[in-house]
């Protein structure tokens, strides 16, 4: 049974990942949770990406990747939730 636990958990973890084509809504801890940041990222090139890591309300590590849009707003392009396996 243990032999099947890791592949099953891997499948479940991958099911939690999101891909392009879907709009990701901000969650508590996201940079854009309440609104776009007040400060504009004026020096970063349009289309560039950066990552943000935080702990969600359930205590899980969340990694989000943001893209800088032409109007200097941020959009979430990827979210990964790290699942602990004990």
């Amino acid at each position: 049974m243990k032999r099947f636990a890791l592949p099953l958990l891997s499948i479940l973890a991958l099911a939690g990942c999101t891909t392009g084509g879907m709009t990701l809504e901000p969650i508590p801890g996201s940079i854009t949770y309440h609104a776009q940041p007040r400060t504009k990222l004026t020096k970063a090139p349009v289309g560039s990406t950066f990552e943000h890591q935080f702990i969600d309300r359930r205590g899980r590590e969340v990694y989000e990747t943001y893209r800088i849009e032409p109007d200097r707003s941020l959009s979430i392009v990827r979210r990964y939730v790290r699942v602990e396996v004990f």
Side-chain angles (χ1 to χ4, degrees), residues 13-25 63 76-81:
L14 287 174
C17 294
T18 56
T19 59
M22 295 174 25
T23 303
L24 292 173
E25 296 297 322
Y63 300 87
I76 304 170
V77 294
R78 186 176 340 145
R79 178 179 293 137
Y80 170 74
V81 179

Side-chain angles (χ1 to χ4, degrees), residues 2-76:
K2 287 183 181 181
R3 201 168 100 183
F4 296 107
L6 185 59
L8 179 61
L9 288 174
S10 298
I11 291 169
L12 292 174
L14 287 174
C17 294
T18 56
T19 59
M22 295 174 25
T23 303
L24 292 173
E25 296 297 322
I27 60 174
S30 297
I31 294 173
T32 57
Y33 178 58
H34 289 291
Q36 290 289 326
R38 291 184 183 169
T39 58
K40 298 288 183 179
L41 300 166
T42 56
K43 294 185 179 182
V46 171
S48 62
T49 60
F50 66 94
E51 290 191 5
H52 172 63
Q53 175 186 355
F54 60 95
I55 305 295
D56 69 1
R57 292 180 177 174
R58 299 164 115 183
R60 300 175 303 179
E61 287 182 76
V62 179
Y63 300 87
E64 290 182 333
T65 303
Y66 291 85
R67 180 179 46 234
I68 300 174
E69 300 296 336
D71 64 353
R72 297 293 176 183
S73 64
L74 299 176
S75 62
I76 304 170

